[in-house]
Amino acid sequence: MKKIFSLAPALILSLLLAACGSAKAPETDTQGPDNALEASVSDASAEPVPGHDDSANDDSANAVSGTDASDEPAENQGHYPVTLTDQGGRTVTIEKEPQKLVSGYYISTSLLIALDLEEKLVGIEAKADKRAIYRRSAPALTTLPSVGSAKEFDLEGCAALEPDLVILPLRLQNAAGTLEELGIPVLLVNPEDQALLEEMILLIGAATDTGTQAQALLHFTDVQRERLSQTLAGAEAPSVYLAGNSDMLSVATDAMYQSDLIRLAGGTNVAGNLTDPYWAKVSYEQLLAWNPAYIILASDADYSVEDVLADPNLAGCDAVKCGNVYQMPGDAEAWDSPVPSGILGAVWLSGILHPDLCSQEDCAALIDEYYETFYGFVYSES
């Protein structure tokens, strides 16, 4: 059973501080980062503000943020209607508390579970049965009607479910317009990096009157970011090559979410001089010239650690010679992507890069606590 309703933020904080490192987190800051969205929850509509330009996604538009952050959680406390600005720059009014939800995107679906809203879901994105996080935390979701994918969205099927609120990725903005013509409110989300992910969390929290839970999720991330920053301050930052899921010779560039993850875990991205907005193709010669101390494979890589260690082209690489080749865990979610639990990727990697400062045992305990609190299962248990 989830602990989210029984653990106040202060208690969550005390549990987190028992994990890796002894850095003290801010005592009173329970808000998200200064640049996170504080969604407007008044009856007046919020003005769109230009946000992140995601050139990696051809279908993406500029994301927007709402009003300046305040000291209050981003929730409406049952006061509807609520008017919000979504991450497509659209003004959306939700007349009453949604009781029937449809999520057409796995990242928003995962968030809805963490906000304890899975029982309100009546439709879900395609291939839900392939998502480990659903099977482990809310198995009933895998049997819900599918509304398709971003490439093949089922408009008629979605409308037939008569949802009170639909959450779709930004690339489905045309479908959003059609649904709204039918009187169905739609929020477009675009969690392409950490800042936009945090905006999305507050936005959905405001729309569903779960702002307190949304703030607890953000607080967890804030505490871990601060703890890692303080614990690893002054530590040597080993070089890291983070390889893509389909090709060992594709690497995460400085413009990507994964590069921030490496830095937060106390490492240096060897591809930090590359600014491609997506995975960059490199040669063996370039990889060997970088000579990373660690090679990290994407959680969903279709090749293995053993494949890398056995590659004769990499025999001279320090990471291979020292056996410092690892794969990001994916037993629940891909932490090397902007999902609600993404901070756990930095937590796990800090234990790999700095086991003297962040023991892997403490990191594992923290990961267990996160999933037990927000998803109702213990990660380390099969």
Side-chain angles (χ1 to χ4, degrees):
M1 181 177 181
K2 294 183 185 177
K3 298 181 181 178
I4 193 167
F5 293 113
S6 61
L7 286 177
L11 179 54
I12 293 175
L13 175 58
S14 67
L15 289 166
L16 301 182
L17 291 177
C20 161
S22 59
K24 187 176 182 180
E27 295 180 357
T28 59
D29 179 17
T30 59
Q31 298 298 101
D34 292 341
N35 64 350
L37 167 79
E38 180 69 25
S40 169
V41 293
S42 66
D43 291 339
S45 63
E47 292 296 324
V49 179
H52 177 75
D53 180 14
D54 178 21
S55 56
N57 184 348
D58 293 338
D59 297 319
S60 294
N62 285 343
V64 295
S65 61
T67 59
D68 292 336
S70 70
D71 292 331
E72 295 298 321
E75 67 179 316
N76 54 58
Q77 300 177 345
H79 301 299
Y80 286 88
V82 56
T83 297
L84 307 164
T85 301
D86 72 7
Q87 290 186 304
R90 302 160 57 256
T91 298
V92 180
T93 297
I94 302 169
E95 297 293 343
K96 60 182 180 179
E97 182 176 350
Q99 299 301 318
K100 297 172 66 178
L101 303 170
V102 167
S103 174
Y105 195 24
Y106 74 94
I107 296 179
S108 56
T109 303
S110 178
L111 173 62
L112 291 171
I113 298 172
L115 298 179
D116 210 39
L117 292 170
E118 63 268 25
E119 292 185 0
K120 290 188 175 183
L121 277 163
V122 296
I124 199 171
E125 79 279 359
K127 300 181 180 180
D129 59 335
K130 305 298 183 183
R131 302 284 176 189
I133 187 68
Y134 304 167
R135 295 195 301 271
R136 299 188 70 175
S137 62
L141 296 188
T142 63
T143 64
L144 288 179
S146 167
V147 295
S149 65
K151 292 182 178 180
E152 296 181 7
F153 186 69
D154 183 0
L155 265 172
E156 291 185 3
C158 180
L161 296 172
E162 300 183 343
D164 300 315
L165 177 64
V166 177
I167 303 169
L168 298 177
L170 188 59
R171 67 184 67 182
L172 285 174
Q173 50 192 317
N174 290 336
T178 302
L179 288 169
E180 291 205 323
E181 289 175 0
L182 299 174
I184 301 171
V186 180
L187 287 178
L188 292 175
V189 296
N190 184 41
E192 292 294 332
D193 60 25
Q194 185 62 33
L196 291 173
L197 171 67
E198 292 170 0
E199 288 181 3
M200 184 197 77
I201 291 171
L202 287 174
L203 177 67
I204 294 177
T208 58
D209 198 17
T210 54
T212 298
Q213 297 97 304
Q215 287 288 0
L217 276 169
L218 294 180
H219 188 60
F220 181 98
T221 296
D222 288 344
V223 168
Q224 292 312 305
R225 184 184 291 116
E226 179 66 16
R227 178 185 62 77
L228 289 170
S229 177
Q230 294 189 25
T231 300
L232 301 175
E236 182 179 353
S239 56
V240 177
Y241 179 100
L242 203 157
N245 58 357
S246 60
D247 189 349
M248 173 62 202
L249 294 179
S250 63
V251 64
T253 69
D254 192 58
M256 297 175 64
Y257 170 85
Q258 289 86 346
S259 195
D260 288 335
L261 183 156
I262 292 169
R263 279 190 287 269
L264 187 55
T268 300
N269 185 1
V270 296
N273 63 325
L274 301 181
T275 58
D276 305 52
Y278 198 61
W279 300 97
K281 289 286 293 183
V282 298
S283 64
Y284 278 113
E285 290 75 16
Q286 177 62 78
L287 198 165
L288 291 171
W290 281 329
N291 194 26
Y294 290 84
I295 293 176
I296 306 298
L297 312 187
S299 61
D300 55 351
D302 55 15
Y303 54 97
S304 68
V305 168
E306 290 71 24
D307 292 335
V308 175
L309 292 173
D311 189 335
N313 296 295
L314 297 175
C317 178
D318 281 353
V320 172
K321 288 191 291 186
C322 297
N324 289 332
V325 180
Y326 301 88
Q327 184 170 11
M328 183 76 68
D331 294 334
E333 296 178 282
W335 297 333
D336 50 330
S337 61
V339 291
S341 61
I343 187 64
L344 299 180
V347 170
W348 172 84
L349 186 56
S350 71
I352 298 296
L353 303 182
H354 300 281
D356 54 332
L357 298 173
C358 298
S359 76
Q360 294 184 35
E361 292 78 9
D362 285 346
C363 292
L366 178 60
I367 291 167
D368 275 349
E369 184 58 43
Y370 173 88
Y371 279 111
E372 188 175 9
T373 299
F374 296 111
Y375 288 87
F377 67 90
V378 179
Y379 180 83
S380 61
E381 294 179 357
S382 59

